[in-house]
């Protein structure tokens, strides 16, 4: 059973029945160790299958564990307690529902069901859902439960908090009446059952002599406390995890649980699985050097006996479009060389980055899948905007009408839409045409929606396509809707990326400068014909052409089930996966590490762990790519390369492009910054710019920069200041000794310096 294991794996598998912490590095065979440990305990007759509990984080991991166990020894696994935290708590509560205060047939609410229940509660209590958005209430309830708090244990330090606590109490009473529990309640109710009922607690403490826990670094506070209760004074906890891969703090994971367990239970009994069976030495050494920058690690160093392998290939391109094209060209070369498409993955930090990558894959005819997510044009918020655009283009589109007529909510209920549909069927007309047949309050709300579409259609005759999309997002209420949602930031990023998509589409299809809804006039004297002599297709407006483009990109290149396809995913979604070739894209400050994380306590270290996860997904070949400028969140951003790239020793890197800065003097067609207020050329709703790293078209001099003494400064150039450190020039103004530069410094932030006085060294470009 243990002959094929290395010495550290054997030590873990045959460990005495004491509390043990196994630090299992990426690709070190932790699942094999866990299942072999279970088989070892049973085959050496140290315990029966029913005296063991194994806890995982996903049903898939639990099934894999049981499948591997059955492959090692003939055993009926149906009665074993192997499953997720929620699954095992459900099993416990089903067995002791009376003691837990639950009906025997209690039902479980998934996240969507829970949100619906909260909306019902708010409506019944006439609670302002703008002041108390349902998702915020849901998040408050779940986080309180995951911290182990009932409403009466929470502080009410201001009126808003007091109301949230009251809603939590009302929600709990509603669940009790209806005999339902949510996911967070499963764990909290199971914990409370064991805590207060000593006979039941003692029973399970005597029964489970060994408790094995997978992915221990992802446990939250309550899960750790639940494990402590189950273990009591007699059971041995065998905790397997990797603190260097703890990347789910936003879900409540507490990386500190590992250090606490080592101190409170394992007490120095730590086994490190450091031999990696996945990646080559260059990849592992780069990962080790990077993660060593984090403090308070438990510490380990991955190694392999499979050889040095290839250096990490690095490509720096002038723009995100060129970066995406380079990635796709390289993928085509890999496919020609015989690499399987499903063994090639493209990783990105933010979902919005996928749009430009998807576009180039689509244009190249390469099938792809978005793992753990949706393709760009299939995302909910994108489909909402496209539905508005389709109504502007064609108000008789009933499918688009039904999608957005009451989203965001306008007080148009299901009964009103049913009546509207009856009128449409009676007269054989569209829903839009049936509005005049309505009466009462519903008629007013529906007419207001019609007027909104009319206004936007009028604007489409005078504004460009990107400007029209900005108007739709603002005037429809989508912007306010997602700004009010704490989880709406990513959806706003995707909407801003839609503006980028429209800008690029205009340029590629020669619609730049044309009003979105106006059909271009034919050139006088020309007779458009095809080569066959038949009349050419009727010309389309930019709006109509873009809608066709979006539909084709959403529907084409759809990889069929089981088809060999390129894998696209966020770095978070990549955890637990591995591929022969991996592209880690967008290695720029503010993107990876992400702006939102840098200012949070522990945020930078979690971002570094995320980069560590990204690097260690690659088996044979790893690419790192970055862009000097990026159209991000509706603006052009001139980027500094990520500190994470600087933290990888040069001997592990193979630069495929020169390490220089090349500034492209291209005019922006207008920008938007929805995070801090939107603005548009000629608009009455001008506002603030967002992040200081995001800028409009820079002020270029006729020479493409400014000359001060013997130095030639350009936008996008890397510079160094004795006090402020390294930075990137974002804007230039003036000339000669009066010239000024707006510089984004990595550590000191934004500074405006007089170039004739400040001692600035040019380091790139």
């Amino acid at each position: 059973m243990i002959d094929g294991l290395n010495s550290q794996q054997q030590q873990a598998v045959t460990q005495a029945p004491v509390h043990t912490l196994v630090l299992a590095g990426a690709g070190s065979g932790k699942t094999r160790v866990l299942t072999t440990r279970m088989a070892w305990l049973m085959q050496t007759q140290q315990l029966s299958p029913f005296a063991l509990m194994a806890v995982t984080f996903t049903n898939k991991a639990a099934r894999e564990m049981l499948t591997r166990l059955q492959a090692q020894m003939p055993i009926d696994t149906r009665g074993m307690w192997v499953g997720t935290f929620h699954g095992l708590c459900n099993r416990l509560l089903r067995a002791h529902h009376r003691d837990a205060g639950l009906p025997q047939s209690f039902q479980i609410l998934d996240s969507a069901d829970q949100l619906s229940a909260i909306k019902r509660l708010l409506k019944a209590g006439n609670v302002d859902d703008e002041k108390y958005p349902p998702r915020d209430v849901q998040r408050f309830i779940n986080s309180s439960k995951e911290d182990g708090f009932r409403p009466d244990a929470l502080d009410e330090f201001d009126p808003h908090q007091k109301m949230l606590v009251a809603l939590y109490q009302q929600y709990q009473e509603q669940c009790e009446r209806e005999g339902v529990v949510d996911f967070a309640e499963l764990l909290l109710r199971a914990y409370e059952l064991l805590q207060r009922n000593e006979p039941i607690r003692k029973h399970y403490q005597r029964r489970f002599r060994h408790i094995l826990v997978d992915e221990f670094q992802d446990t939250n506070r309550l899960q750790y406390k639940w494990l402590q209760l189950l273990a009591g004074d007699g059971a041995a906890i065998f905790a397997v995890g990797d603190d260097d891969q703890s990347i789910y703090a936003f879900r409540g994971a507490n990386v500190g649980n590992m250090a606490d367990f080592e101190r409170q239970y394992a007490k120095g009994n730590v086994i490190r699985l450091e031999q990696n069976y996945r990646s080559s030495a260059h990849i592992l050494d780069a990962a080790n050097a990077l993660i060593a920058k984090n403090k308070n690690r438990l510490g380990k160093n991955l190694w392999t006996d499979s050889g040095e392998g290839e250096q990490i290939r690095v490509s720096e391109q002038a723009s995100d479009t060129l970066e995406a094209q380079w990635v796709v060209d390289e993928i085509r070369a890999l496919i020609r060389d015989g690499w399987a498409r499903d063994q090639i993955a493209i990783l990105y930090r933010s979902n919005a980055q996928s749009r430009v990558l998807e576009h180039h894959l689509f244009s190249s005819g390469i099938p792809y899948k978005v793992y753990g997510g949706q393709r760009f044009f299939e995302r909910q918020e994108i489909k909402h905007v496209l539905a508005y655009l389709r109504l502007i283009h064609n108000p008789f589109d009933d499918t688009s009408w039904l999608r957005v007529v009451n989203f965001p909510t306008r007080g148009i209920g299901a009964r009103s839409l049913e009546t509207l549909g009856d009128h449409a069927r009676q007269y054989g007309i569209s829903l839009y045409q049936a509005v005049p047949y309505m009466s009462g309050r519903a008629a007013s709300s529906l007419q207001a929606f019609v007027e909104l579409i009319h206004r936007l259609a009028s604007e489409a005759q005078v504004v460009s396509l990107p400007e029209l999309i900005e108007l739709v997002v603002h005037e429809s209420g989508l912007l306010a809707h997602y700004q009010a949602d704490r989880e709406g930031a990513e959806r706003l990023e995707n909407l801003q990326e839609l503006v980028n998509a429209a800008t690029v589409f205009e340029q590629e299809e020669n619609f730049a400068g044309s009003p979105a809804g106006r059909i271009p006039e034919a050139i006088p004297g020309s007779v458009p014909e095809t080569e066959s002599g038949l009349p050419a297709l009727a010309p389309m407006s930019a709006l109509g052409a873009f809608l066709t483009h979006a539909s084709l990109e959403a529907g084409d290149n759809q990889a069929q089930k089981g088809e060999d396809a390129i894998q696209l995913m966020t770095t978070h979604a990549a955890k637990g996966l591995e591929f022969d070739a991996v592209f880690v894209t967008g290695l720029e400050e503010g993107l990876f590490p992400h702006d939102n994380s840098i200012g949070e306590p522990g945020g930078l270290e979690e971002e570094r762990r995320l980069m560590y996860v990204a690097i260690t997904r690659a088996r044979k070949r790893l690419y790192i790519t970055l862009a000097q400028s990026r159209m991000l969140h509706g603006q052009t951003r001139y980027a500094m390369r990520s500190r994470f790239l600087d933290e990888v020793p040069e001997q592990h890197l193979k630069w495929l492009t020169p390490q220089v800065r090349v500034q492209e003097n291209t005019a922006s067609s207008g920008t938007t910054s929805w995070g801090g207020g939107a603005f548009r050329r000629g608009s009455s709703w001008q506002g603030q710019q967002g992040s200081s790293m995001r800028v409009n078209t820079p002020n270029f001099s006729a020479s493409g920069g400014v000359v001060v003494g013997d130095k030639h400064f350009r936008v996008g150039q890397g510079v160094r200041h004795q006090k402020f450190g390294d930075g990137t020039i974002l804007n230039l103004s003036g000339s000669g000794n009066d010239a000024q530069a707006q510089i984004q410094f990595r550590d000191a932030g934004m500074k405006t310096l007089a170039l004739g006085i400040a001692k600035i060294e040019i380091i790139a470009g």
Side-chain angles (χ1 to χ4, degrees), residues 116-315:
S116 296
I118 290 170
K119 288 178 178 177
R120 282 195 289 113
L121 177 70
L122 297 179
K123 186 175 181 179
N126 292 317
V127 178
D128 185 350
D129 61 3
E130 290 189 3
K131 190 174 182 181
Y132 298 95
R135 287 192 183 278
D136 285 1
V137 177
Q138 181 184 39
R139 191 177 300 107
F140 175 80
I141 292 171
N142 289 342
S143 63
S144 297
K145 289 185 178 184
E146 287 167 1
D147 286 337
F149 295 124
R150 291 295 184 190
D152 58 3
L154 292 169
D155 293 329
E156 300 176 358
F157 46 78
D158 62 26
H160 187 80
Q161 176 80 359
K162 184 175 182 179
M163 184 62 176
L164 286 173
V165 172
L167 290 172
Y168 178 9
Q169 180 63 45
Q170 293 167 27
Y171 166 78
Q172 198 60 37
E173 291 168 358
Q174 176 178 289
C175 289
E176 296 283 352
R177 286 195 306 271
E178 298 175 4
V180 296
V181 298
D182 53 51
F183 280 119
E185 181 72 17
L186 283 173
L187 188 61
L188 180 54
R189 188 71 68 111
Y191 171 76
E192 291 172 339
L193 172 66
L194 294 175
Q195 185 183 45
R196 68 170 180 264
N197 194 312
E198 185 177 2
I200 292 177
R201 182 174 71 249
K202 293 292 186 183
H203 166 76
Y204 285 103
Q205 287 175 345
R206 287 192 300 269
R207 173 174 178 174
F208 297 122
R209 310 308 297 162
H210 289 264
I211 301 173
L212 295 85
V213 189
D214 191 15
E215 303 287 6
F216 194 78
Q217 77 279 353
D218 293 334
T219 54
N220 61 32
R221 286 178 55 188
L222 187 58
Q223 287 164 342
Y224 184 34
K225 290 168 69 175
W226 182 77
L227 289 169
Q228 289 176 299
L229 272 182
L230 270 176
D233 297 325
I237 298 178
F238 187 83
V240 181
D242 183 0
D243 57 330
D244 290 333
Q245 294 190 74
S246 179
I247 58 173
Y248 295 124
F250 66 94
R251 294 182 187 170
N254 181 12
V255 67
N257 284 349
M258 294 195 74
D260 289 345
F261 178 77
E262 192 276 333
R263 184 180 65 256
Q264 298 169 357
Y265 289 88
K267 298 179 180 178
N269 188 28
V270 179
I271 300 172
R272 289 171 169 81
L273 304 183
E274 297 174 305
Q275 184 173 359
N276 177 281
Y277 294 93
R278 176 187 301 161
S279 309
S280 61
H282 274 303
I283 293 171
L284 296 180
D285 290 346
N288 288 333
L290 174 84
I291 202 64
K293 300 291 183 182
N294 275 3
K295 301 175 182 177
N296 302 318
R297 296 173 58 229
L298 293 171
K300 65 183 180 309
N301 206 56
L302 296 179
W303 63 275
T304 182
D305 59 7
S306 63
E308 282 194 347
E310 301 177 352
Q311 290 174 296
I312 299 169
R313 290 163 161 80
V314 184
S315 171

Side-chain angles (χ1 to χ4, degrees), residues 70-134:
Q70 287 175 314
Q72 288 185 291
M73 59 186 302
I75 184 175
D76 184 358
T77 61
R78 285 177 295 181
M80 293 183 65
W81 282 58
V82 177
T84 64
F85 277 100
H86 292 119
L88 294 177
C89 287
N90 172 61
R91 187 168 178 174
L92 181 68
L93 294 174
R94 296 285 178 192
H96 305 283
H97 62 91
R98 290 191 184 87
D99 297 289
L102 291 171
Q104 184 176 7
S105 59
F106 70 85
Q107 297 299 306
I108 301 172
L109 299 176
D110 62 20
S111 183
D113 293 334
Q114 183 190 26
L115 187 61
S116 296
I118 290 170
K119 288 178 178 177
R120 282 195 289 113
L121 177 70
L122 297 179
K123 186 175 181 179
N126 292 317
V127 178
D128 185 350
D129 61 3
E130 290 189 3
K131 190 174 182 181
Y132 298 95

Side-chain angles (χ1 to χ4, degrees), residues 613-628:
V613 167
I615 290 174
T616 54
R617 298 310 94 195
R619 294 194 194 102
K620 300 176 182 178
R621 185 174 292 182
L622 176 63
Y623 295 86
I624 291 176
T625 68
L626 62 153
Q628 295 165 1

Side-chain angles (χ1 to χ4, degrees), residues 29 53 277 432 661 694 696 707 734:
M53 174 184 284
Y277 294 93
Y432 161 75
R661 295 271 166 178
R694 300 168 191 142
N696 291 319
V707 177

